[in-house]
Amino acid sequence: MEKHIGYWVKNLDTVLESAMDDALQMSRREWQVLNTVAHDARPEELAPFTGVDEAVERLTARGWLADGRITEAGRSAHAEIAERVRGFRQRVGAGVTPEDYQVTVDVLRRMAANLTAS
């Protein structure tokens, strides 16, 4: 039997999480927080996601954040990890055209909007 979209969305999220943790040598949420603060935003902007506070704590313990802001050590780490992220994204997107990607994102966005519309 063919698997439906819910299976593939959950499966992709699970394998992305695991593969990204391995490729970046840090959690996906830690990367999201580090990348957010590296672009002069605050970690609170990731509030809809779980695990943000824990990621901030771990990044602070590494010396990459102080008071929710990126440190010089954090900037250096961000630049190095960003290179790994680029390679990871290329691996994930192999064989997927930019048009395929955009259509997929648009379809998922519309499906989510259908379920959250009042």
Side-chain angles (χ1 to χ4, degrees), residues 25-39:
Q25 298 156 7
M26 68 188 312
S27 76
R28 182 178 177 190
R29 191 67 71 231
E30 287 170 324
W31 166 250
Q32 290 169 327
V33 170
L34 185 63
N35 193 50
T36 296
V37 297
H39 291 95

Side-chain angles (χ1 to χ4, degrees), residues 23-93:
L24 303 186
Q25 298 156 7
M26 68 188 312
S27 76
R28 182 178 177 190
R29 191 67 71 231
E30 287 170 324
W31 166 250
Q32 290 169 327
V33 170
L34 185 63
N35 193 50
T36 296
V37 297
H39 291 95
D40 298 322
R42 299 288 291 172
E44 294 82 21
E45 293 186 28
L46 296 169
F49 300 105
T50 61
V52 172
D53 291 339
E54 294 84 355
V56 168
E57 287 174 16
R58 290 189 299 270
L59 294 169
T60 299
R62 289 182 181 190
W64 295 353
L65 295 183
D67 297 320
R69 299 204 185 277
I70 196 163
T71 64
E72 284 306 312
R75 288 212 181 277
S76 177
H78 177 266
E80 186 261 319
I81 296 165
E83 286 301 313
R84 285 188 267 171
V85 169
R86 280 188 270 287
F88 180 79
R89 287 180 178 161
Q90 286 178 331
R91 178 176 160 218
V92 171

